[in-house]
Amino acid sequence: MTYRRAVIPGLAGALLITLLLWWAGASAQALQLRGTTSVLDVQSASELQRWLVPWSYDSPMALLSEGSADAGTGAGGGTALSGSTQYADLYSTAMQIRFVAVFVFFLAGALLLIRRIPPAQGRTPATLLALWAWGPVAGTLAVTVSAPWLIASRGHGSYRVLPQLAGVIASSGPVVVFAALLTALLTVFVARVTGKGVDPLPRQSVPPRAARLAASAGTAVIAVSLVLLSYDSVAAWIQTSFGGRGLLSEPGDLLREWLLLGGWTGPATTPLGDWLLYRAADVAMLAVVWWALRLLPGLLTRTTVPAMAVGAVCATVLGLLASQVLHMAMDGTVPVWGPVYLFSKLGDGVPAALTFGVTAGMVALATLRLAGGRDTGESSR
C-alpha cells in the first residue's frame, strides 16, 4: 500500500486515539461527583482516577481542590487554591504537547505499519495486533516528550528530576491499551476500505531456517531484560549502582523503566507452584515474541530497518500484554481491591519494550540477512 493510501487510515486512527484519551481525561472530573462511591467502591474509584489523571487537563491538585471545595473556607482555602493554580499554564502546555505528541507518534507508526503490513492477503490480523500494540508505545512516547513541562508545573522541577521523570513515563496507564484496541479496529477497517481496488503484494517466502534463527536471536535480546536484568538482585544493582550529581542524580528509577521488562526472584519466599505459574507467564511472553518475530519477515512487503524495528517493538508489547493477562488470571486481590485493580498493571513495561524491541529488531534483521533470508531490496510498489 502506498503512503498516499495509508495516510487516510493513519489519520483516522491518530485522531480517534487522541479523542478517546482526551475524553477519558475529561471524565476524571466525574469521579469527584457526589455518590460516586455508591456506584463504585472507594478502591475502584481511586484506581480509575489514577488511570485518567495523566490525560486530564485538570491537574491532580485541581481535582483535589474541586473535590474538597465544599470543605474549604476562609483565607486558608483561598491561599491553597492560589498555590495549586500557580503553575496552571505550564500544566496546560504539558497536556497540549502530550495530545499533539500522541497524535503524531501514532500517525507515524500507523503509516509505517499499514504500508509494510497492509491488511490484505491474510495480513489483517497481524495489522490489527501491530496497531493495537503501537498505541501504548505512542502513549509512552507522548508522556515522555511532555514530561519536562509537567514536572515544572509541580513547582519543584529541580528536585529529584530523574525519579520524577520515571514516574511521569510510567503513568500513561491501562486506559491507553483500551483506547488503542478501539483505534486499531477502526484503522484496519478504514485501511481495508481505502485499499480496495489495489492489487496487494503477495506474501513473500522466507526460508524457514533463516526465519527461525532471526526470531531466536531477537527473542534472546528480549530475554536479556526479562530473565537477566529483571532478576531481583540484578535489578537492585541497577537501581543503586549508578550515581550522579545535581539534575542527574538518582537515575535508578529511570533506568529500571527503560531496561526492565519484568521482575522476579527465586522460589525461596513463594510456594513453588505459584512461582512456577508466574514464571510460565514469562515463558508465554517469550513464546509470543518468538512467534511474532518468526512471522514478521514474511508479513512485511519489504524488510527494512524501520519496519523490523517497529515490528519487533509491537511483538514485544504483545508479549507483555499476554504475560500481564496471564498474571491477571492468577491475581487473588480482586475481593480486597476491587475489579478495576485487576487491570492496573496492563501496559506496564512499555518503555523497556521500546528499548529492547528496537534492539531485537536490529539483531533479527542482521541474523536474517546473514542466514540468507529474503531480499530486502525495494519492492515494485
Side-chain angles (χ1 to χ4, degrees):
M1 181 180 289
T2 62
Y3 279 115
R4 181 175 58 85
R5 290 181 178 272
V7 72
I8 298 176
L11 285 171
L15 181 61
L16 178 62
I17 194 170
T18 304
L19 289 175
L20 286 174
L21 292 174
W22 177 84
W23 171 77
S27 301
Q29 284 188 342
L31 296 173
Q32 302 292 332
L33 297 176
R34 295 179 181 273
T36 299
T37 54
S38 65
V39 178
L40 298 170
D41 57 84
V42 175
Q43 291 87 351
S44 295
S46 176
E47 185 65 17
L48 278 175
Q49 186 168 19
R50 185 183 71 83
W51 292 11
L52 301 179
V53 161
W55 302 99
S56 173
Y57 264 90
D58 293 311
S59 68
M61 289 300 296
L63 288 173
L64 289 174
S65 298
E66 290 175 9
S68 58
D70 292 338
T73 57
T79 302
L81 184 60
S82 175
S84 67
T85 58
Q86 183 177 2
Y87 299 96
D89 289 343
L90 276 173
Y91 186 87
S92 178
T93 300
M95 297 312 298
Q96 291 168 11
I97 293 171
R98 181 166 297 187
F99 282 108
V100 170
V102 79
F103 179 91
V104 171
F105 283 124
F106 186 87
L107 175 61
L111 285 175
L112 180 62
L113 290 170
I114 294 170
R115 173 144 166 83
R116 297 303 177 203
I117 314 177
Q121 294 290 331
R123 296 184 177 103
T124 301
T127 310
L128 177 64
L129 291 173
L131 289 169
W132 180 30
W134 183 251
V137 177
T140 296
L141 292 172
V143 298
T144 302
V145 169
S146 63
W149 287 268
L150 188 67
I151 293 171
S153 73
R154 296 170 178 171
H156 46 81
S158 61
Y159 175 70
R160 303 187 75 230
V161 173
L162 297 185
Q164 288 190 76
L165 182 59
V168 173
I169 292 171
S171 69
S172 59
V175 67
V176 185
V177 178
F178 296 118
L181 179 57
L182 295 176
T183 300
L185 291 169
L186 175 72
T187 306
V188 168
F189 173 77
V190 176
R192 287 185 65 88
V193 171
T194 57
K196 284 185 177 180
V198 178
D199 294 330
L201 291 172
R203 295 185 61 168
Q204 301 295 319
S205 176
V206 181
R209 178 177 174 276
R212 287 193 295 268
L213 285 173
S216 299
T219 305
V221 173
I222 303 302
V224 168
S225 173
L226 184 65
V227 178
L228 178 61
L229 300 184
S230 295
Y231 185 64
D232 187 57
S233 59
V234 180
W237 178 82
I238 293 173
Q239 177 80 38
T240 59
S241 296
F242 296 92
R245 294 182 179 181
L247 295 178
L248 299 180
S249 63
E250 302 180 75
D253 291 337
L254 189 63
L255 289 173
R256 287 172 66 100
E257 281 294 322
W258 290 95
L259 295 178
L260 305 188
L261 282 165
W264 68 283
T265 186
T269 59
T270 308
L272 182 60
D274 294 342
W275 185 84
L276 290 174
L277 281 175
Y278 275 91
R279 300 291 69 75
D282 294 337
V283 173
M285 175 184 171
L286 293 176
V288 170
V289 171
W290 186 90
W291 186 250
L293 291 178
R294 163 69 178 82
L295 297 178
L296 182 60
L299 293 169
L300 295 172
T301 58
R302 183 186 172 210
T303 313
T304 62
V305 170
M308 284 295 293
V310 172
V313 169
C314 293
T316 308
V317 173
L318 287 174
L320 265 178
L321 293 176
S323 173
Q324 289 161 0
V325 168
L326 289 176
H327 282 141
M328 286 162 49
M330 299 179 243
D331 197 326
T333 61
V334 173
V336 178
W337 296 103
V340 176
Y341 184 81
L342 188 64
F343 300 95
S344 63
K345 300 297 183 182
L346 204 60
D348 285 358
V350 173
L354 183 59
T355 301
F356 285 91
V358 170
T359 307
M362 300 299 95
V363 171
L365 179 60
T367 305
L368 187 68
R369 290 178 174 176
L370 290 173
R374 56 175 295 188
D375 181 17
T376 59
E378 184 70 54
S379 64
S380 59
R381 293 182 185 273

